[in-house]
Amino acid sequence: MKKLLIAITLLTSLVTIAQDKPKLVVGIVVDQMKQEYLNRFSSDFSENGFKRLINDGYSFHNTHYNFMPTYTAPGHAAIFTGTTPSVNGIVGNDWFNKSTGKEMYCTDDAAVITIGNGVESEGKMSPKNLLSTTITDELKLATNFKGKVIGISLKDRGAILPAGHFADWAFWYSKTGSFISSTFYGKNLPNWVTDFNNEKHYETYIQKGWELLKPKETYNESLTDNNPYEGKLYKKTPFFPYNLKDMYENNDAGVLRSTPYGNNLIVDFAKKAIEKEAMGRDEITDFLTVSFSSTDYIGHILGPRSIELQDTYLRLDESIAEFLIYLDKTVGKGNYLVFLTADHAGAENVTYLKDNKYDVTNTNSKTLRNDLESFSKTTYGEDLILDYSNSNVFFKKDVVKSKGLNLNEVKQTFKEYLHTQKFVKRVYTEEEILNSSGSDFYLNMIANGFDPVQNGELVILEKPGYLEYSATGTTHGSPYTYDTHVPLLFYGWHIKKGESFDRKEITQIAPTLSQLLKITFPNGTKAELLQEILNK
């Protein structure tokens, strides 16, 4: 009897050790989500979505991006690599390539082709431009490639970059209404993906149309419907209800992106991936990355104070609740670890601010490019600007040299000119950025986002509140808190309930996950950790 008890004790001990890691990690990124939305819309959320993560998990209320530019691709890359664009190489969604003299996209890969029912160009994508490993890569290595990693998003970059170099699959949405991938991951889509696509789930949502989820008086945290700061949704007046069938007939299935139903479709697909790929079914940890993009599309078009955006978050709250219940049933409570954050936040609409007596305005990149050209011709008799994009100024170095000019003096001359412009806060040269001491906060933010191989010779920092965007909707990209402050919630396996108001940085997520999972750090991270959820 005694021997039997000892054997049972040893067996129980072994099981405990075997289960000392979550069966599934789910990394959720909500595109363009401000921390403020968790507070502003709180009274209208259910108890089972965002509030479940907050009330039963750990909340970091003061989490920020520690670099500029705050765009989608750099944000996703930073979350999962634990490092900034200066190291991971993803310096924008797209950027000017010095070697080719052309614009390049963050996940471009001419060596692969689309698989699935998508447009040819939509699938020529892979993580090859990502220069460092991700937490998902390190999980693959730690499990000898037995742990599954799958990335899902409406956007290619939202699926590919989080899933890393070694992912089993990354899937993204095509304008055809199908989820597609590339030959980087395999020769053919898994049968379950083809079956899901053939069911044409997007049609169900388009047939529904978009009406308010709750009575109109619920939306008193937003401005009135069809306010002057909203853009048009596929040329339609921004006013409920929306006829999605009409939009679809005049465009394609891509219209679903700019409705809350894009998020619903992602949850439908994520549940199917967990089921068909048997994720979280054994003791080897799997990792699913889920990026909700509709919040970004709607935010850009209609702005942060629109009823449409609030309705999108109320619906996303329901989708998260549904997804958590599904995880409870399939993986089991306590067996999965979830974290939720955003790839960037977003600014207030600049016209709205101006109408309320804040002296700011929107700027135009084409106008600035033309102004730089005019200044150059007046000063030097020739246009010395090679490219202006992402707040970076690139010079025609060969022309500067052929004219016998000193490049450093040219940069200084343009810097002085730009400082005369009302919207410019500061201008930094490449040398100043690379020699940053860290004492200048904004220079340090720019340095963290700067790769000398891929960035320009000057970087422009606009003043707070100014936007390089249209008069309606909103955008992001700056180092100011309205673009850097994002939610960060941890929930589930080994996560105690609590909250912190200390400043945290987005690059702390991946190395903290490494410690929780007891695996190697991603190779570019500084390994600064979120101690609060490590101290059990």
Side-chain angles (χ1 to χ4, degrees):
M1 185 69 177
K2 186 176 180 181
K3 289 182 179 180
L4 179 61
L5 289 172
I6 292 172
I8 291 172
T9 302
L10 287 172
L11 182 61
T12 303
S13 176
L14 287 171
V15 169
T16 301
I17 293 171
Q19 294 180 345
D20 197 33
K21 292 183 180 180
K23 293 184 176 183
L24 178 66
V25 180
V26 181
I28 299 174
V29 181
V30 183
D31 207 322
Q32 202 187 122
M33 185 176 185
K34 299 156 71 81
Q35 164 70 23
E36 175 221 354
Y37 295 153
L38 286 178
N39 303 321
R40 199 204 308 174
F41 305 143
S42 177
S43 62
D44 302 320
F45 287 148
S46 71
E47 295 299 316
N48 303 313
F50 287 116
K51 285 184 178 179
R52 177 177 172 184
L53 298 177
I54 293 167
N55 295 335
D56 298 334
Y58 202 97
S59 302
F60 292 95
H61 298 285
N62 192 20
T63 303
H64 292 265
Y65 276 84
N66 51 348
F67 60 83
M68 169 185 162
T70 41
Y71 295 145
T72 297
H76 281 81
I79 293 165
F80 289 89
T81 63
T83 190
T84 63
S86 61
V87 177
N88 66 43
I90 304 299
V91 297
N93 292 333
D94 42 38
W95 58 88
F96 183 75
N97 187 310
K98 290 180 180 179
S99 61
T100 64
K102 298 178 181 179
E103 289 285 326
M104 66 173 285
Y105 182 64
C106 57
T107 52
D108 272 345
D109 189 348
V112 301
I113 61 174
T114 304
I115 57 172
N117 179 29
V119 177
E120 181 183 358
S121 60
E122 290 180 313
K124 297 182 75 63
M125 305 287 166
S126 84
K128 77 167 191 175
N129 298 321
L130 183 64
L131 303 181
S132 53
T133 62
T134 59
I135 178 63
T136 45
D137 286 330
E138 297 301 338
L139 179 65
K140 293 293 287 187
L141 292 170
T143 61
N144 291 325
F145 289 79
K146 294 176 183 176
K148 285 188 176 179
V149 170
I150 295 176
I152 297 171
S153 179
L154 294 181
K155 295 181 179 179
D156 45 46
R157 55 189 183 270
I160 293 169
L161 297 172
H165 303 85
F166 306 139
D168 295 270
W169 286 101
F171 302 107
W172 53 98
Y173 187 65
S174 166
K175 63 179 68 175
T176 63
S178 295
F179 281 92
I180 61 172
S181 192
S182 82
T183 49
F184 178 84
Y185 302 98
K187 294 181 180 179
N188 300 291
L189 289 179
N191 290 337
W192 67 264
V193 177
T194 301
D195 291 342
F196 184 94
N197 288 337
N198 289 339
E199 291 166 1
K200 297 187 177 181
H201 290 244
Y202 70 92
E203 289 186 345
T204 302
Y205 293 115
I206 286 172
Q207 293 297 322
K208 280 185 178 183
W210 182 10
E211 297 186 5
L212 287 172
L213 178 67
K214 297 187 177 185
K216 204 161 192 175
E217 56 269 21
T218 304
Y219 300 82
N220 57 350
E221 294 86 2
S222 302
L223 298 179
T224 57
D225 206 3
N226 191 20
N227 67 70
Y229 312 110
E230 298 176 306
K232 291 187 176 182
L233 196 61
Y234 290 96
K235 299 181 181 180
K236 301 297 180 182
T237 301
F239 193 81
F240 283 99
Y242 287 92
N243 185 334
L244 302 185
K245 288 186 286 185
D246 183 51
M247 291 183 189
Y248 170 62
E249 288 167 1
N250 288 290
N251 296 278
D252 52 48
V255 299
L256 202 69
R257 302 173 191 269
S258 301
T259 76
Y261 300 130
N263 296 332
N264 291 81
L265 188 66
I266 288 296
V267 170
D268 294 342
F269 191 74
K271 287 161 63 177
K272 187 64 68 173
I274 291 171
E275 175 193 347
K276 295 299 184 180
E277 295 290 339
M279 300 185 79
R281 299 291 178 84
D282 57 29
E283 307 312 317
I284 300 173
T285 303
D286 299 320
F287 205 127
L288 178 70
T289 74
V290 179
S291 180
F292 293 108
S293 307
S294 290
T295 44
D296 184 66
Y297 289 110
I298 293 166
H300 274 295
I301 298 168
L302 297 160
R305 298 281 168 181
S306 66
I307 287 178
E308 287 85 352
L309 188 77
Q310 183 172 355
D311 193 66
T312 298
Y313 275 95
L314 299 190
R315 290 176 180 275
L316 178 58
D317 179 63
E318 289 194 339
S319 294
I320 289 173
E322 174 192 337
F323 192 41
L324 292 174
I325 291 170
Y326 177 80
L327 291 173
D328 290 342
K329 292 179 178 179
T330 56
V331 184
K333 288 184 178 181
N335 289 330
Y336 63 88
L337 170 64
V338 172
F339 72 88
L340 182 148
T341 188
D343 55 346
H344 52 75
E348 293 285 356
N349 175 268
V350 71
T351 310
Y352 175 60
L353 296 178
K354 190 173 184 178
D355 286 351
N356 285 281
K357 301 182 181 180
Y358 182 11
D359 186 19
V360 291
T361 188
N362 57 303
T363 61
N364 185 288
S365 59
K366 290 182 179 178
T367 300
L368 178 56
R369 175 65 181 85
N370 291 337
D371 290 345
L372 289 170
E373 179 181 349
S374 298
F375 174 75
S376 184
K377 288 180 177 178
T378 300
T379 308
Y380 297 106
E382 191 169 348
D383 182 14
L384 301 180
I385 304 299
L386 179 60
D387 183 78
Y388 171 71
S389 55
N390 293 344
S391 300
N392 281 242
V393 179
F394 297 79
F395 289 98
K396 298 175 182 174
K397 293 181 180 180
D398 54 340
V399 177
V400 171
K401 185 177 181 180
S402 69
K403 292 179 71 69
L405 299 170
N406 181 291
L407 181 59
N408 287 332
E409 292 177 359
V410 169
K411 285 190 263 187
Q412 191 63 34
T413 301
F414 275 88
K415 178 178 177 178
E416 291 172 2
Y417 164 72
L418 285 165
H419 276 148
T420 67
Q421 305 303 299
K422 183 180 179 181
F423 65 91
V424 174
K425 177 69 173 176
R426 294 173 190 167
V427 180
Y428 297 102
T429 65
E430 179 181 6
E431 291 74 20
E432 290 171 327
I433 295 167
L434 293 176
N435 292 319
S436 169
S437 65
S439 58
D440 181 331
F441 178 81
Y442 293 113
L443 174 55
N444 192 51
M445 294 278 281
I446 290 170
N448 283 340
F450 189 88
D451 179 353
V453 176
Q454 303 183 99
N455 285 94
E457 286 74 54
L458 295 177
V459 176
I460 300 170
L461 174 64
E462 295 189 347
K463 291 177 181 176
Y466 284 83
L467 293 185
E468 198 171 283
Y469 199 65
S470 65
T472 57
T474 192
T475 193
H476 47 85
S478 81
Y480 299 116
T481 53
Y482 51 76
D483 283 339
T484 67
H485 191 196
V486 295
L488 179 55
L489 310 173
F490 282 83
Y491 170 85
W493 177 86
H494 281 198
I495 299 299
K496 64 181 180 180
K497 180 180 177 179
E499 60 183 348
S500 169
F501 293 89
D502 294 338
R503 179 185 168 91
K504 304 297 180 183
E505 295 184 338
I506 206 72
T507 47
Q508 293 178 271
I509 296 172
T512 300
L513 288 169
S514 292
Q515 291 292 82
L516 285 169
L517 299 177
K518 298 180 175 63
I519 62 176
T520 303
F521 290 123
N523 61 16
T525 186
K526 289 171 64 178
E528 294 175 339
L529 306 174
L530 299 167
Q531 296 286 350
E532 292 87 342
I533 59 172
L534 294 173
N535 299 326
K536 299 173 184 176

